[in-house]
Amino acid sequence: MKQKNNPLLTWLLTIGFMVVAFLALFPLLNLTLASFRPATDLMRNGISLIFDPSTLTLDNFIFIFTEAEIYWKWFGNSVWISLVIVVLSLLFSSMVGYALAVYDFKGRNFFFLLVLIILMIPFEILMLPLFQLMIKLNLVNTYSAVILPAIVAPIAVFFFRQYALGLPKELMDAARIDGCTEYGIFFRIMLPLMGPSLAAMAILQGLNSWNNFLWPLVVLRSNDMFTLPIGLATLLTPYGNNYDILLAGSVMTIVPIVILFIFFQRYFVAGLTVGGVKG
């Protein structure tokens, strides 16, 4: 018998979700409105919804698009670093997770346990030995120092391993009978089947790389090599705070992430849902 939905419960849930969505979007709305206000108004009234609408101006964004060349240098650095990290992380993490899921080799459980242990350790604890390693490799103030620690992410390895556990092993046996190599099985057969998980993890890794502040701050030294989070932070100094440019730049920073999620949210939800039920 088909169960009837309770209209009252549906309305209550809808209202509740709308309230939660408003609370989540309120800071973004406040930030967006503040980015159109001049610096004098921001210093006088602060970042709040109480302001004179007649003071709204596009000067902050005009300045970014016409005069703030260093901003677009930081923007390009963030885009390039994020793309490289996403591509390499998806490649290597999916290979490791796939191997831990489908191959029975000595020490498999031990290596998976190491992944779980690293996953539970805060990055701040690993940051000092990582920085010492970068010094020994002479990679400080290079993009490689930012990229290398992120190309095999423990959370991505765990996620791909859980997803690969549900892949049909019969396809592997059939491919071996046809003479396909193990690399061929992975890249030509199994990797396409992991498409939803790749899309979901691409968004998560892209977000983490785009918003990463602490590690690039530690290993990067040159102003023209900064990523967006570090570059925007340099706008706040003891000698002057460019809040108007900072807020406008922050809004422009959010735009690519919003566009990315809007176009790929279907794959993101599908990947998380399917990957979460694999045993």
Side-chain angles (χ1 to χ4, degrees), residues 126-266:
L126 302 175
M127 191 165 57
L128 179 58
L130 274 177
F131 183 65
Q132 292 175 336
L133 178 61
M134 295 300 113
I135 293 176
K136 292 181 180 179
L137 296 177
N138 197 27
L139 293 178
V140 175
N141 199 35
T142 65
Y143 293 132
S144 298
V146 181
I147 295 172
L148 287 178
I151 61 175
V152 181
I155 183 62
V157 171
F158 174 80
F159 184 78
F160 285 126
R161 186 257 184 188
Q162 295 303 109
Y163 194 95
L165 285 174
L167 296 177
K169 306 300 188 299
E170 295 80 6
L171 293 178
M172 299 177 60
D173 297 333
R176 291 191 182 103
I177 294 175
D178 291 339
C180 190
T181 65
E182 296 301 320
Y183 286 103
I185 293 174
F186 175 72
F187 285 106
R188 298 170 59 184
I189 300 176
M190 292 305 183
L191 195 61
L193 295 178
M194 298 171 66
S197 65
L198 292 172
M201 197 50 57
I203 294 178
L204 289 179
Q205 290 297 95
L207 284 173
N208 291 335
S209 175
W210 187 263
N211 296 323
N212 193 10
F213 175 80
L214 186 58
W215 179 243
L217 178 65
V218 171
V219 296
L220 296 180
R221 296 289 183 270
S222 302
N223 186 53
D224 59 344
M225 296 185 65
F226 286 166
T227 57
L228 264 179
I230 306 175
L232 291 175
T234 60
L235 297 177
L236 301 179
T237 67
Y239 309 102
N241 297 318
N242 302 307
Y243 284 112
D244 49 349
I245 307 303
L246 172 64
L247 295 177
S250 299
V251 171
M252 293 299 300
T253 303
I254 298 172
V255 170
I257 300 300
V258 174
I259 295 175
L260 178 68
F261 188 79
I262 289 176
F263 283 98
F264 292 97
Q265 61 176 327
R266 178 165 60 92

Side-chain angles (χ1 to χ4, degrees), residues 88-155:
L88 294 182
S89 177
L90 292 182
L91 174 62
F92 292 112
S93 298
S94 62
M95 293 178 69
V96 176
Y98 170 82
L100 292 175
V102 303
Y103 293 117
D104 187 12
F105 56 90
K106 187 176 181 180
R108 182 180 70 168
N109 294 331
F110 172 74
F111 287 116
F112 182 61
L113 179 62
L114 286 181
V115 172
L116 296 179
I117 291 175
I118 298 175
L119 186 60
M120 293 184 290
I121 299 177
F123 179 76
E124 290 76 10
I125 296 179
L126 302 175
M127 191 165 57
L128 179 58
L130 274 177
F131 183 65
Q132 292 175 336
L133 178 61
M134 295 300 113
I135 293 176
K136 292 181 180 179
L137 296 177
N138 197 27
L139 293 178
V140 175
N141 199 35
T142 65
Y143 293 132
S144 298
V146 181
I147 295 172
L148 287 178
I151 61 175
V152 181
I155 183 62

